[in-house]
Every structure is written in C-alpha cells, then in structure tokens.
Amino acid sequence: FFFQAEDGIRDVAVTGVQTCALPISYLSVAGGGGGGGASNGVAGGGGAGGYLTGTTNLSIGTSYTITVGAGGAGGTSGGIGSNGTNSSIGSLVSTIGGGGGGNGTNSPSASGASGGSGGGGGQNNSGSNAGGAGTSGQGYAGGAGYNSCGGGGGGSANTGTNGNNGT
C-alpha cells in the first residue's frame, strides 16, 4: 500500500475539538496467483493481484485495519495454483487476489481460476482450456492454454497471452 495524506486547512482562531475527514490517496495491490503444477503437460501462469488507485476519506480518531495480500502457492504434481489473497483498507478499499494457473495435466479441466487478474489455462492437446476471468477495474483475464503450451496469467493492464496455436 502507498498512502499520501493531504494537508488540511489550519486556522489559529479555531478552538475546541474539531472533526473532519482526512483525504488520502492510495495504491492497493493484492497477492498474485500461484502458477499451476505440471504433471503430464504444461501449466498456466498465475494471474496478477488486483490493482486499484484512488482517493478516499479517513475519519480522524477511527482505526482502520490494513491487510496486505499474500501470493498464492504454486500447484504441485498436476494441481491448480492457489489464488492470491485480498488486500484491503478496512471496508473502504478491497483488491482481489490473482487467480491460480490451470494445471498441466493435458486435460479439458485445466482452466485458470478467476481473480483480480485471471490465471492462465493449462495445456490441452485436444482443444483449449480457458484462462480465468479478471475482476472489472482491477485486472484482466488469463490467456487460454492450447496444444503444448499453457496460457499466461492476466495482468493489471493486459490480458494474458494464449498458449501455442492460440488466437
């Protein structure tokens, strides 16, 4: 997280307890998804964690819990990668963890998981495995896995690249 507090107006003639909102600028990034595990093929990449910037007001005297999301674990022996965990500023701002990558088992059930940005689909020699969906305003979908290649995980600015022979 990155915070930047804006300066308030100061007046020496004001006395007593004053209440107001403190405007801040923020940048929040959640944990990225883990890549899929390969067993019998090529796995998809994990998606990037959700990404948000903006401004919000904090109330003076209120405590806010700041949560920083962790990256997801990579899949093992043909397992799908775990999603990254969410980041948040209390209930004001929440970014979604990146989607885990599809497994590399050369099967039609190796799609990437949805998240802040979607995980890439795993290999499928008889068709394609879709990349996971990204969260609107936070990230993009993962690329599809085709033939002998897994798809790339989605990012904050672009969709993941499709695997070999993808469109």
Side-chain angles (χ1 to χ4, degrees):
F1 282 98
F2 171 78
F3 297 101
Q4 179 179 343
E6 304 296 327
D7 286 338
I9 297 172
R10 294 172 180 84
D11 187 336
V12 295
V14 174
T15 61
V17 176
Q18 304 295 312
T19 60
C20 63
L22 176 65
I24 64 160
S25 298
Y26 63 84
L27 180 148
S28 176
V29 180
S39 172
N40 213 6
V42 181
Y51 171 90
L52 285 175
T53 61
T55 58
T56 192
N57 290 321
L58 300 180
S59 296
I60 294 175
T62 302
S63 294
Y64 296 90
T65 300
I66 306 296
T67 303
V68 178
T76 57
S77 189
I80 295 173
S82 298
N83 283 14
T85 58
N86 300 345
S87 293
S88 64
I89 305 170
S91 61
L92 300 175
V93 175
S94 181
T95 49
I96 308 301
N103 61 28
T105 59
N106 187 27
S107 72
S109 61
S111 295
S114 296
S117 295
Q123 171 185 353
N124 182 356
N125 284 345
S126 60
S128 68
N129 284 319
T135 301
S136 179
Q138 295 190 26
Y140 288 82
Y146 287 90
N147 295 333
S148 61
C149 291
S156 65
N158 291 300
T159 300
T161 302
N162 292 332
N164 188 30
N165 294 334
T167 55

